[in-house]
Amino acid sequence: MLPLPGSPASSWAMYKARIKAAFEGADPRVCTAFWLFGLINNVLYVIILSAALDLVGPSVPKGVVLLCDIIPSFLVKLCAPYFIHTISYPIRIIIFVTVPACGMLLIALTPAYTDGGTIATKMAGVILASLGSGAGELSFLGLTHFYGPFSLASWGSGTGGAGLIGAGAYALATTSAGLSSRATLLASSFLPIIMLMSFFLILPRRPLSRRKASYESRQTPSNDNESSLNEDDYPRAAEDEGLLNQEGKPVAKAPQNWQAAFAENLRRSRSLFFP
């Protein structure tokens, strides 16, 4: 903790030493990449809410935009953790860039409701942006596992800044800069490209490469041990999944494909909503 102002230990040199010690070991590239991940992944959500009145007009409840911006993301975060690990991170990043960008383009290029444009088409674009944001959030949070605590702190800082930057940028663009709502939304559709650049150009790939090599080595058993694999080889996985028998001991369970695992996890999570 930093010393209280006015105490004997409070000095500028002491503050500098404490702050330097707190950030010791932080990789600037990792911090920058995850800050941009958090910012861009959440800023489209803020921009869409800021443009709610321009999207649906005064006669439609603004809650429609809010629901279309929240429910798809919630459903993705509820279901995707059971199977998204089967998709590599580079492919995920490309999806997280393409889907929200297409959603924002659909919103921006659809004519305004006063010119005959349909609100349903714009809401379809909002849903696409929400799907990309929800999948991106759970994937980037999982990615912090490979880059240490500073990546998580940077991600949190970026998501916090998204609210201020997104709302402020939209307000400045449509008032001070004199841009139309359509032009502002069209420009924001290119923001997800920053995530692509952050992952492939800024973020160090060595931790992910080590993870991939370790995973492949575990998935390729030697010929001598391949014939001896049995249920005794899986107690640790069963213990991690919390599968206990009546005696309280882990129950061995052979691996299953992701469809069966998803159905089983969905069945187990049902008790969270229906006791």
Side-chain angles (χ1 to χ4, degrees):
M1 295 179 60
L2 295 176
L4 293 175
S7 64
S10 63
S11 64
W12 181 241
M14 182 64 69
Y15 279 116
K16 288 177 61 177
R18 295 284 182 90
I19 294 174
K20 184 177 180 181
F23 285 92
E24 185 177 1
D27 187 341
R29 294 177 61 189
V30 171
C31 294
T32 301
F34 276 92
W35 192 86
L36 291 174
F37 287 153
L39 174 68
I40 304 302
N41 189 73
N42 290 270
V43 75
L44 296 183
Y45 164 83
V46 177
I47 291 175
I48 289 173
L49 292 184
S50 301
L53 179 62
D54 300 319
L55 294 179
V56 299
S59 59
V60 179
K62 311 309 173 290
V64 173
V65 180
L66 182 63
L67 290 176
C68 291
D69 209 10
I70 290 179
I71 292 179
S73 177
F74 168 75
L75 294 177
V76 168
K77 287 183 278 190
L78 183 66
C79 301
Y82 299 123
F83 60 84
I84 200 170
H85 61 275
T86 61
I87 305 173
S88 64
Y89 274 103
I91 300 300
R92 293 192 218 179
I93 297 299
I94 295 174
I95 294 174
F96 302 156
V97 170
T98 303
V99 174
C102 291
M104 296 301 292
L105 286 173
L106 186 61
I107 297 171
L109 298 180
T110 301
Y113 65 94
T114 55
D115 298 330
T118 61
I119 295 176
T121 304
K122 291 182 178 293
M123 293 305 99
V126 174
I127 290 173
L128 287 177
S130 178
L131 291 174
S133 177
E137 181 172 343
L138 64 91
S139 291
F140 289 130
L141 285 175
L143 191 62
T144 60
H145 169 74
F146 305 103
Y147 291 93
F150 287 104
S151 62
L152 183 59
S154 300
W155 161 268
S157 176
T159 57
L164 179 62
I165 294 175
Y170 185 83
L172 289 175
T174 54
T175 55
S176 300
L179 297 177
S180 64
S181 175
R182 180 178 183 181
T184 305
L185 293 172
L186 185 62
S188 65
S189 65
F190 295 96
L191 290 177
I193 298 176
I194 297 177
M195 289 195 298
L196 197 69
M197 299 172 60
S198 298
F199 183 81
F200 289 103
L201 299 180
I202 300 177
L203 187 68
R205 306 291 295 280
R206 187 184 299 270
L208 279 180
S209 301
R210 288 200 301 262
R211 175 251 187 186
K212 182 178 179 181
S214 175
Y215 177 80
E216 291 177 349
S217 65
R218 293 197 304 267
Q219 296 297 316
T220 310
S222 61
N223 294 331
D224 296 338
N225 298 329
E226 187 172 354
S227 60
S228 62
L229 292 176
N230 51 44
E231 291 186 352
D232 294 336
D233 295 315
Y234 307 108
R236 181 60 182 173
E239 183 179 359
D240 291 340
E241 294 178 3
L243 302 177
L244 301 177
N245 59 14
Q246 294 180 353
E247 299 178 356
K249 296 180 180 180
V251 178
K253 184 178 180 182
Q256 54 185 345
N257 56 30
W258 72 266
Q259 294 94 339
F262 173 71
E264 176 65 17
N265 289 327
L266 195 61
R267 183 189 65 79
R268 293 168 59 190
S269 64
R270 184 174 55 185
S271 60
L272 296 174
F273 304 94
F274 304 101

